[in-house]
């Protein structure tokens, strides 16, 4: 049975779907959503196990998260959308553009990767194990160091604390299941099947999805361009919202 998803609609016009990072919620887009409403219909949703969406504790794959997205688009009557995904949201976007190319007009892949090393897979499985055995409190500080640059953690502790609180509210079983889905990530061989205009955005100080990892996606997607926000960490839209928005609007209007 498909999980129920929490979503929010704002604005009107061409549909833009905003898909958040692992451990976050649709609220992560609050800073830039009002400006995007002037462009079109903004669709934000909570990935299963996040925010107000239903928690799924059984094993699932990234393909199931793509399926969730398709069902949401169908329920909203949206045949074709521009997909803006960051981190996990970018992985879902890759899957959507590969498996359902007719549904994606333009694709933005921010701070995300298309494949993992064996070491990377092991780290995701270990994170899932810790979540199940010790809860989210055992991972919250580590996750903040992956989300944000050291400079941002020092200068904006109130923002970091807000995201840390969101992480602590997650059901560790649902989070672990997402980690295990990510551990099986391998869209790299099919990147050439993504035919829509694509923008890959990296954060210059991102240690989770380094600029080289993000550029690898752009190098293998035929109609892709690549850009870096030099002083941004993994949640680039949070650290540098104005820069992220400017890059995004330029791409969407092009």
């Amino acid at each position: 049975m498909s999980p129920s998803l929490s979503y929010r609609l704002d604005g009107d016009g061409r549909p833009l779907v905003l898909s958040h990072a692992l451990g976050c919620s649709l609220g992560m887009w609050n800073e830039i959503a009002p400006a995007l409403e002037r462009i079109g219909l903004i669709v934000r949703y909570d990935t299963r196990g996040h925010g107000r969406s239903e928690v799924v504790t059984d094993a699932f794959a990234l393909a199931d998260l793509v399926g969730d997205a398709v069902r949401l688009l169908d329920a909203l009557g949206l045949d074709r959308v521009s997909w803006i995904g960051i981190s996990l949201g970018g992985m879902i976007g890759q899957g959507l553009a590969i498996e359902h190319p007719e549904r994606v007009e333009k694709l933005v892949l921010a701070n995300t990767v298309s494949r993992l090393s064996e070491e990377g897979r092991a780290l995701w499985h270990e994170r899932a194990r810790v979540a199940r055995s010790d809860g989210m409190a055992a991972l919250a500080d580590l996750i903040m160091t992956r989300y944000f640059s050291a400079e941002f953690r020092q200068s904006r502790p109130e923002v970091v604390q807000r995201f840390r609180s969101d992480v602590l509210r997650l059901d560790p079983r649902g989070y672990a299941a997402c980690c295990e889905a990510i551990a099986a990530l391998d869209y790299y061989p099919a990147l050439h099947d993504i035919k829509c205009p694509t923008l890959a955005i990296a954060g210059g100080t991102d240690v989770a999805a380094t600029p080289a990892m993000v550029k690898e996606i752009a190098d293998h997607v035929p109609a892709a361009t690549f850009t870096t926000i030099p002083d941004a960490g993994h949640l680039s839209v949070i650290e540098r919202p104005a820069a992220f928005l400017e890059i995004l609007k330029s791409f969407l209007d092009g």
Side-chain angles (χ1 to χ4, degrees):
M1 188 173 180
S2 303
S4 61
L5 299 179
S6 173
Y7 64 89
R8 173 171 174 168
L9 306 178
D10 296 286
D12 190 28
R14 57 172 170 158
L16 312 175
V17 180
L18 309 183
S19 184
H20 64 75
L22 177 69
C24 299
S25 71
L26 60 81
M28 78 169 297
W29 301 102
N30 286 350
E31 187 78 12
I32 69 168
L36 291 177
E37 287 175 38
R38 303 187 188 102
I39 297 177
L41 171 67
I42 306 306
V43 181
R44 291 184 277 167
Y45 77 101
D46 291 327
T47 303
R48 62 167 71 180
H50 293 72
R52 297 182 178 180
S53 287
E54 186 177 351
V55 175
V56 177
T57 59
D58 294 335
F60 55 81
L62 282 170
D64 295 304
L65 301 184
V66 173
D68 289 346
V70 171
R71 282 187 292 274
L72 177 62
L73 297 184
D74 288 346
L76 296 175
L78 302 175
D79 293 329
R80 192 169 172 84
V81 303
S82 290
W83 186 275
I84 299 104
I86 187 167
S87 189
L88 175 58
M91 297 174 193
I92 298 170
Q94 291 173 65
L96 185 66
I98 291 166
E99 298 166 20
H100 304 274
E102 74 284 356
R103 308 302 294 264
V104 185
E105 180 179 357
K106 288 188 174 184
L107 179 63
V108 178
L109 304 174
N111 306 88
T112 194
V113 299
S114 63
R115 61 178 176 175
L116 298 170
S117 65
E118 287 305 312
E119 179 185 9
R121 296 186 195 283
L123 288 173
W124 281 110
H125 282 298
E126 174 62 12
R127 191 182 291 195
R129 185 196 66 79
V130 172
R132 285 197 178 94
S133 63
D134 302 325
M136 297 309 299
L139 291 169
D141 290 339
L142 168 66
I143 292 170
M144 293 307 104
T145 67
R146 305 291 283 181
Y147 276 176
F148 302 113
S149 65
E151 185 277 332
F152 189 83
R153 295 198 307 272
Q154 182 175 7
S155 64
R156 299 294 304 277
E158 75 286 358
V159 177
V160 176
Q161 183 56 45
R162 188 173 79 241
F163 278 83
R164 189 177 187 277
S165 296
D166 288 344
V167 165
L168 291 174
R169 282 193 289 268
L170 291 170
D171 185 312
R173 300 167 301 168
Y175 179 85
C178 277
C179 290
E180 289 164 346
I182 292 171
L185 169 72
D186 190 13
Y187 285 128
Y188 179 77
L191 288 176
H192 63 276
D193 291 331
I194 299 177
K195 304 303 185 185
C196 62
T198 300
L199 172 65
I201 303 174
T205 61
D206 189 349
V207 296
T210 66
M213 293 174 180
V214 180
K215 186 175 185 297
E216 180 181 68
I217 297 175
D219 288 344
H220 290 82
V221 173
T225 56
F226 170 75
T227 190
T228 301
I229 302 176
D231 48 357
H234 190 56
L235 297 191
S236 56
V237 70
I238 302 300
E239 289 203 24
R240 300 291 181 263
F244 191 100
L245 180 62
E246 181 180 358
I247 292 168
L248 187 58
K249 289 173 66 176
S250 177
F251 173 71
L252 293 173
D253 291 339

